[in-house]
């Protein structure tokens, strides 16, 4: 069997929508879908030769997502959730983008968010992106913050994404206030982007090695892989000032449906996963700023919670 162009990895949960799976398999081209179910969940009877279904050993985002990624054989890889819809032309977009930018590591998808159950919006026709090869390149504006800049591109151009400024100096002010170096034109997270798998696979092996404490004993956090992996891959292959990829313009290539009402968001302590970054890359001030900020924020939230309960 030849290598697929794109692997799409999805950690699932019980009761994911049939509508979502039907839309997923409408994706055209040489693609493999890897659904990673929690332990004990029955596999879906859907018949599609491109569809793989795996049961993870444990429940949790990191375990399920990494299980899928370690089994991915595509030239490129994209991770999404089981309430996120992709354009059927996503394989062609990946092919055209990396043909035009062979030195890029990643292409970020422009997104649009919809309320839970808004099937009419989720099912509307997707935009044609056959003109991608001829789109102009735009440097990102320094005066916009990261989340505004890297989730929505209204211009008809490809916005440059530089590597995270990992070599920034440690900011002692992070002990007392929120860090500032995450604002800017770079990206931290891994999810909802198409990455080169040749960079991802050695990064995953490094993360697994970093989880070892001694002998067979490992520290395996269950949640919050997104930023850990996004920064880990940039730290492992760090090149100061490198443009690692581009953000595609609107109309969107990914549509995100809100969680069902029964799936309320829970507050997670990211530091339990991201502390692994410092085990491997103690020389980057940016990562120290991140961890100190996370610990300070966790202590503040814990104090406020205890105060409200008293």
């Amino acid at each position: 069997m030849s290598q697929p162009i794109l692997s799409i990895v999805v950690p699932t949960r019980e009761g994911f929508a049939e509508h979502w799976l039907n839309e997923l398999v409408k994706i055209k081209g040489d693609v493999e879908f890897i659904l990673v179910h929690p332990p004990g969940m029955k596999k879906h009877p859907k018949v599609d030769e491109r569809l793989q279904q795996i049961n993870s050993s444990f429940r949790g985002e990191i375990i399920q997502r990494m299980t899928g990624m370690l089994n991915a054989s595509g030239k490129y890889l994209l991770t999404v959730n089981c309430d996120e819809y992709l354009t059927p032309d996503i394989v062609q977009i990946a092919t055209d983008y990396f043909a035009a930018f062979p030195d890029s590591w990643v292409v970020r998808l422009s997104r649009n968010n919809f309320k839970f159950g808004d099937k009419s919006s989720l099912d509307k026709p997707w935009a044609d992106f056959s003109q991608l090869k001829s789109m102009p390149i735009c440097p990102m504006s320094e005066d916009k913050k990261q989340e505004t800049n890297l989730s929505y591109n209204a211009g008809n151009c490809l916005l440059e994404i530089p590597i995270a400024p990992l070599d920034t100096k440690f900011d002692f002010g992070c002990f007392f206030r929120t860090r500032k170096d995450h604002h800017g034109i770079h990206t931290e997270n891994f999810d909802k982007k198409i990455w080169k798998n040749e960079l991802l696979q050695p990064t995953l092996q490094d993360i697994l090695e970093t989880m070892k404490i001694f002998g067979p004993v490992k520290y395996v956090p269950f949640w919050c892989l997104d930023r850990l992996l996004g920064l880990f891959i940039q730290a492992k292959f760090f090149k100061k000032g490198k443009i690692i990829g581009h953000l595609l313009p609107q109309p969107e290539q990914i549509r995100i449906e809100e969680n069902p009402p029964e799936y309320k968001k829970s507050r997670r302590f990211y530091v339990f996963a991201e502390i692994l970054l410092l085990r491997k890359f103690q020389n980057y001030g940016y990562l120290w700023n991140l961890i100190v900020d996370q610990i300070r924020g966790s202590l503040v939230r814990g104090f406020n919670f205890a105060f409200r309960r008293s």
Side-chain angles (χ1 to χ4, degrees):
M1 181 181 293
S2 61
Q3 180 187 27
I5 294 172
L6 180 65
S7 297
I8 299 176
V9 173
V10 189
T12 68
R13 62 187 177 219
E14 292 87 349
F16 65 79
E18 188 83 18
H19 177 268
W20 168 81
L21 184 56
N22 289 336
E23 292 300 308
L24 181 72
V25 297
K26 289 181 182 178
I27 290 175
K28 298 176 287 187
D30 194 358
V31 60
E32 65 175 1
F33 307 109
I34 304 178
L35 306 188
V36 187
H37 305 311
M41 178 176 163
K42 292 184 178 180
K43 295 179 180 178
H44 195 279
K46 188 79 173 180
V47 177
D48 189 309
E49 62 181 7
R50 303 170 301 170
L51 183 65
Q52 299 181 42
Q53 299 186 67
I54 303 171
N55 283 96
S56 176
S57 301
F58 300 95
R59 178 187 298 270
E61 176 212 354
I62 287 184
I63 305 298
Q64 289 180 237
R65 206 175 293 266
M66 285 191 71
T67 297
M69 290 189 290
L70 288 167
N71 283 275
S73 60
K75 188 174 182 180
Y76 311 112
L77 184 141
L78 168 64
T79 62
V80 296
N81 295 321
C82 57
D83 52 9
E84 298 173 343
Y85 296 73
L86 295 164
T87 169
D89 295 322
I90 193 67
V91 175
Q92 191 60 51
I93 287 173
T95 301
D96 291 347
Y97 174 79
F98 286 104
F101 301 96
D103 293 330
S104 285
W105 300 356
V106 59
V107 55
R108 178 161 184 166
L109 308 180
S110 194
R111 62 192 287 175
N112 208 345
N113 298 323
F114 299 94
K115 292 185 179 300
F116 175 71
D118 186 3
K119 295 297 186 287
S120 60
S121 295
L122 293 169
D123 290 344
K124 67 182 180 181
W126 293 86
D128 175 33
F129 263 82
S130 59
Q131 78 281 17
L132 186 149
K133 295 179 181 178
S134 60
M135 285 183 181
I137 309 300
C138 300
M140 286 197 177
S141 172
E142 289 280 0
D143 62 356
K144 291 185 178 180
K145 292 185 178 182
Q146 179 192 27
E147 285 305 315
T148 299
N149 229 355
L150 290 181
S151 61
Y152 188 90
N153 174 9
N156 190 30
C157 64
L158 300 170
L159 291 181
E160 292 180 340
I161 303 176
I163 199 166
L166 298 170
D167 57 345
T168 191
K169 293 182 179 179
F170 175 62
D171 178 8
F172 285 93
C174 292
F175 285 107
F176 312 103
R177 53 156 172 78
T178 302
R179 68 187 179 112
K180 298 179 179 180
D181 54 0
H182 60 301
H183 295 316
I185 56 179
H186 59 284
T187 184
E188 292 184 341
N189 295 344
F190 181 89
D191 203 22
K192 302 173 188 57
K193 305 175 183 71
I194 304 172
W195 292 82
K196 283 184 173 177
N197 204 11
E198 66 186 51
L199 299 178
L200 173 62
Q201 293 304 321
T203 302
L204 292 174
Q205 295 302 321
D206 267 8
I207 291 177
L208 290 173
E209 190 67 26
T210 306
M211 288 179 177
K212 292 181 180 178
I213 299 177
F214 57 86
V217 180
K218 294 183 179 180
Y219 169 63
V220 184
F222 287 91
W223 303 107
C224 309
L225 178 64
D226 193 11
R227 185 162 54 187
L228 164 63
L229 184 51
L231 288 176
F232 208 109
I233 199 169
Q234 292 181 74
K236 179 174 176 63
F237 299 101
F238 183 74
K239 297 178 182 178
K240 184 178 177 66
K242 178 177 173 60
I243 301 300
I244 63 171
H246 297 84
L247 167 64
L248 298 179
Q250 290 279 313
E252 73 279 357
Q253 303 85 47
I254 182 170
R255 295 171 181 165
I256 302 174
E257 184 180 18
E258 288 182 354
N259 282 335
E262 62 268 25
Y263 289 98
K264 294 182 179 180
K265 287 187 176 181
S266 58
R267 187 175 294 278
R268 297 172 181 170
F269 293 94
Y270 290 82
V271 68
F272 293 149
E274 292 163 356
I275 197 72
L276 294 171
L277 288 164
L278 283 185
R279 289 202 69 192
K280 182 70 175 180
F281 306 107
Q282 298 93 351
N283 55 316
Y284 291 131
Y286 185 97
L287 301 180
W288 283 100
N289 292 339
L290 168 64
I291 299 304
V292 169
D293 180 76
Q294 287 291 318
I295 294 174
R296 180 197 55 78
S298 296
L299 291 173
V300 170
R301 290 194 298 271
F303 176 82
N304 289 339
F305 176 78
F307 183 78
R308 288 195 302 269
R309 292 288 298 271
S310 62

